Amino acid sequence: MITFDKEANLFHLTNKSISLWIYINSESLLETVYFGKYCERPNLSSRVKDVDNCTTQYFDQKEGIEKTFKDNFSIKSSRFEIGVHNGGDNRPAPIIVQKNNGMYDTNFQYVSHKIYKGYPKYENGPHVFGMDGDTLEILLKDEFSDVYIKYNISISSTSDVIVKNVEFINKGKSKVNILRALSMSLDLDDCEYKIHHFYGNWGNERNESVNDVIVGEQIISSNYGRSSHEDNPFVFITSKNATYDEGEVIGFNLVYSGNFKYSFYSDYLKKLRVSLGINDFDFNWVLVSGANFVCPQSIISYSSKGIDSMSQNFHKFIRNNLISYKKISQYKPIIFNSWEGCMFDFNTESILQYVDASEKIGSELFVLDDGWFGKRKDVNSSLGDWFIFEEKIDLKKVEEYVHSKKMKFGLWFEPEMVSFNSDLFRTHKEYALGVYRKHPILHRSQLVLDFSSEEVVENIFSQICKVLDYIKVDYIKWDMNRDIKEHYSLFLGDEHQGEMLHRYVLGYYSLLEKILNKYPNIMIEGCASGGGRFDLGTLYYCPQIWASDMSQPSLRMINNFNTSLGYPLSTISTHINNSIETSYKEKGYLALFGTYGYEMNPLMLTEREISEINSLINVYKNDHLSLFEEGTLYHLVSPEQHNFMAMELVNADRTKFVVIVCKKQGIRLSEKLRLKGLNESSKYKSNIGVFAGKFLQNRTLDIKLESDNLEIGFYYFEMVK
Ligand code: GLA
């Protein structure tokens, strides 16, 4: 619900659980009066804090005298929705527009507003949707130009989530340059917060870094051309001493797959400005007269009840309001992926054997990974040549065989790349980024295609269509195995090079859209050397993303635990592989806390291992959707701070729940866990006994994992009727 009190110039955005109060002050600037848990009406006078008598005076040019701003606000320290650039606010402004005369000053002031049901509607690009929200659209005009912005703020009525973004419109006669276009900023009254973000590299994504807000500016960003392994656009802040179920927590994410930037700024005034959006590194968007520019949406999840409630808000909102895949609430077939089993070393016969063997462990969707196209025998060739490698594989035969078994069929593509040893590169060198260099930088022997160009995207689209029109494909694994090291396009004019990285991301989205529009029944899974592009932009199109090339439970449990703080388990693609760290059954427990599936040489399995894997199929079939995908997730013990990890999932009617405990090698574990979210007056039976809900919520579930090895415990409870 959004209301506007005309007398007081006050907006209230609320869902009765959280509130955002915004005031239009006497200088037409938007001040954040209050953001937090539901508040009937804040005290307006509390917004003015006289910090060292700063900047409340101005010179009235007309009357030639000194005056005090009517509202007595302070440019330097008041809380603004969109801070000014220059003019007394030393905090970084979220928006900088350079005018045609070279001026940098930017100051957006209120003009008018609209309130409507739902979220802003966009034809293209990833965006939130649904009718459970209300939107406040505020039109603001730059004091120094005819550039306007639509500042959209939506509030969900079903999750404690706020969505913000900015749309630019140039109504002036001359072009301007947008030098910074962040999607939102949030000014907080103090800086007593810790910042949590998730860093890593290939095979080692999403380690948690926690640090205090410092005096100065902290930047968390990606400059890799994709959201990256190195840092993730999901970031949250916690008040001091917040836990999984107590304290104030504010989570942020961005519906974007390219370079992003978070700035946390605090100075001697000990307040905090958080701002986030497209990274402004080498960003310079030319906005010609009449043109518009839309910033990606940012999502804020607010909790006054600890980290889990912030993360549950995200889970619900991402599943209901962001993932556009139509069958999100339906059963998903169990995937078998060929990569770790045979890599490039396969032919028609060996793949048919894989199909048979995968069927024995319940696979319902067979995915042929890298190596079926061009002349691809290893990583050194053929990206960009999307035609079947007929001397290597009879793909039609494989597809028909898979379908004859009533299984679905999937194929791997890496659409954004080109090998220097490829027909595409030989005929269209200019399609590759970096060829202007004396020594174009390679990674995995490949270059990135210039997706800022429609011609390049169209070329790849028509090649992919030929394959998809020839064989029936139900699933695509869309990979991206290197980052973007070049910021120069041969297709864009001199003036537009600062647009290249963002245009690349738009090209990525446009190819996804073209494929999904033409083949709406295909499910696309995202991947970027594992989890190098795990973000909300990708999830809009791809309901799940391969979370890491590291499937060893000792490391993967950290990734999955941390990723699930910001993303639903149903998005975290996880497979059982041939790792020797623990048994197939125990690896299966971990995979159940993700999408579930297999990635192995199935011909190596012993009868005992086959039956171990098969013993989990019923859990997957009966419970994966309602419990693992749609249930409420509680993070009990973090593997970052302890030598074990524990999570709990409870279904909607609290009749079933599961607990997973994964302990590291070399320790013996004897712990009591306090469970959450149960029906206190009910009893639950499990493989370790019958317990009262109330009892289990009192730190009384006894866990003993006593071998020296890595060990995974899995406890499945059902309500006693
Ligand atoms: C990346 C992916 C793997 C696999 C290989 C194929 O590393 O993350 O899952 O698809 O590429 O080359």
Side-chain angles (χ1 to χ4, degrees), residues 490-509:
L490 295 172
F491 288 85
L492 294 171
D494 303 357
E495 250 204 298
H496 296 275
Q497 294 301 329
E499 300 169 19
M500 190 240 130
L501 290 165
H502 182 59
R503 286 195 184 277
Y504 178 94
V505 180
L506 299 181
Y508 163 56
Y509 295 148

Side-chain angles (χ1 to χ4, degrees), residues 78-95:
S78 287
R79 297 171 66 184
F80 295 113
E81 287 290 305
I82 311 254
V84 305
H85 181 65
N86 300 339
D89 191 351
N90 294 327
R91 296 165 291 187
I95 297 174

Side-chain angles (χ1 to χ4, degrees), residues 234 236 274 428 480 608 676:
F234 162 58
F236 65 97
V274 184
H428 283 297
M480 190 222 194
R608 191 176 54 79
K676 301 172 188 177

Side-chain angles (χ1 to χ4, degrees), residues 315 534 545 547 556-565 567-576 585-597 616 619-620 623-625 627-636 645-651 656-662 673 675 712-717:
H315 295 169
F534 205 111
I545 301 173
R556 191 56 182 275
M557 70 166 152
I558 298 173
N559 183 333
N560 283 25
F561 184 93
N562 287 340
T563 304
S564 71
L565 288 167
Y567 301 90
L569 289 181
S570 65
T571 64
I572 307 174
S573 182
T574 311
H575 295 163
I576 306 175
K585 193 165 188 174
E586 293 194 5
K587 286 181 285 192
Y589 297 149
L590 197 59
L592 279 168
F593 272 73
T595 56
Y596 198 71
L616 294 179
V619 182
Y620 179 81
D623 295 309
H624 202 262
L625 185 59
L627 184 52
F628 294 85
E629 297 184 32
E630 290 175 346
T632 305
L633 179 67
Y634 297 93
H635 296 86
L636 303 180
M645 169 280 261
M647 290 193 271
E648 178 197 348
L649 264 170
V650 184
N651 72 353
K656 282 183 188 174
F657 67 93
V658 281
V659 176
I660 188 168
V661 180
C662 183
L673 291 181
L675 302 189
I712 304 179
F714 182 80
Y715 311 92
Y716 181 101
F717 294 81

Side-chain angles (χ1 to χ4, degrees), residues 55-89:
T55 52
T56 52
Q57 304 300 109
Y58 69 95
F59 175 58
D60 188 317
Q61 298 230 42
K62 235 192 202 159
E63 297 179 27
I65 51 168
E66 181 174 336
K67 283 191 177 169
T68 303
F69 286 131
K70 195 166 149 239
D71 268 328
N72 197 24
F73 67 95
S74 154
I75 291 278
K76 191 172 180 181
S77 66
S78 287
R79 297 171 66 184
F80 295 113
E81 287 290 305
I82 311 254
V84 305
H85 181 65
N86 300 339
D89 191 351

Side-chain angles (χ1 to χ4, degrees), residues 601-638:
N601 178 351
L603 305 168
M604 266 174 54
L605 297 172
T606 63
E607 284 306 318
R608 191 176 54 79
E609 289 165 344
I610 292 175
S611 72
E612 257 184 50
I613 294 177
N614 280 333
S615 69
L616 294 179
I617 290 179
N618 278 342
V619 182
Y620 179 81
K621 292 203 166 161
N622 297 337
D623 295 309
H624 202 262
L625 185 59
S626 62
L627 184 52
F628 294 85
E629 297 184 32
E630 290 175 346
T632 305
L633 179 67
Y634 297 93
H635 296 86
L636 303 180
V637 180
S638 164

Side-chain angles (χ1 to χ4, degrees), residues 339 369-370 412 444 477 479 481 527 529-530 546 549 599:
W339 176 247
D369 208 279
D370 197 353
W412 181 95
R444 242 192 169 209
K477 176 171 167 190
D479 211 338
N481 279 313
C527 177
S529 301
W546 180 231
D549 280 344
E599 176 128 359

Side-chain angles (χ1 to χ4, degrees), residues 356-518:
D356 288 340
S358 77
E359 197 188 14
K360 290 199 185 124
I361 46 172
S363 141
E364 297 166 314
L365 193 171
F366 185 89
V367 182
L368 182 58
D369 208 279
D370 197 353
W372 58 267
F373 54 92
K375 301 256 174 292
R376 182 98 160 157
K377 295 188 177 121
D378 51 38
V379 295
N380 295 315
S381 83
S382 303
L383 293 170
D385 294 346
W386 299 106
F387 49 82
I388 298 165
F389 188 176
E390 280 167 355
E391 298 87 59
K392 181 171 177 182
I393 186 137
D394 184 343
L395 203 59
K396 184 98 187 153
K397 185 170 176 185
V398 172
E399 175 258 305
E400 286 176 354
Y401 187 67
V402 170
H403 282 128
S404 75
K405 287 177 167 290
K406 303 274 173 282
M407 288 159 82
K408 294 192 180 298
F409 182 63
L411 265 189
W412 181 95
F413 286 90
E414 195 178 354
E416 298 151 85
M417 298 291 150
V418 63
S419 307
F420 68 86
N421 181 9
S422 66
D423 291 352
L424 185 67
F425 190 69
R426 281 182 284 271
T427 46
H428 283 297
K429 221 171 159 181
E430 76 284 7
Y431 281 12
L433 291 173
V435 286
Y436 59 88
R437 285 171 189 253
K438 185 169 161 205
H439 300 303
I441 313 280
L442 292 175
H443 180 88
R444 242 192 169 209
S445 305
Q446 64 199 58
L447 294 161
V448 184
L449 284 170
D450 187 348
F451 264 39
S452 72
S453 152
E454 277 176 31
E455 178 185 328
V456 178
V457 172
E458 202 51 51
N459 178 301
I460 298 299
F461 177 56
S462 65
Q463 288 196 56
I464 292 177
C465 287
K466 280 193 193 128
V467 178
L468 301 183
D469 291 340
Y470 178 59
I471 51 171
K472 187 177 176 311
V473 170
D474 308 293
Y475 159 108
I476 287 174
K477 176 171 167 190
W478 180 309
D479 211 338
M480 190 222 194
N481 279 313
R482 64 161 278 185
D483 53 11
I484 302 176
K485 304 176 201 302
E486 306 82 11
H487 297 184
Y488 184 76
S489 162
L490 295 172
F491 288 85
L492 294 171
D494 303 357
E495 250 204 298
H496 296 275
Q497 294 301 329
E499 300 169 19
M500 190 240 130
L501 290 165
H502 182 59
R503 286 195 184 277
Y504 178 94
V505 180
L506 299 181
Y508 163 56
Y509 295 148
S510 84
L511 185 55
L512 280 158
E513 276 165 26
K514 279 165 182 282
I515 293 176
L516 287 168
N517 286 341
K518 186 151 186 220

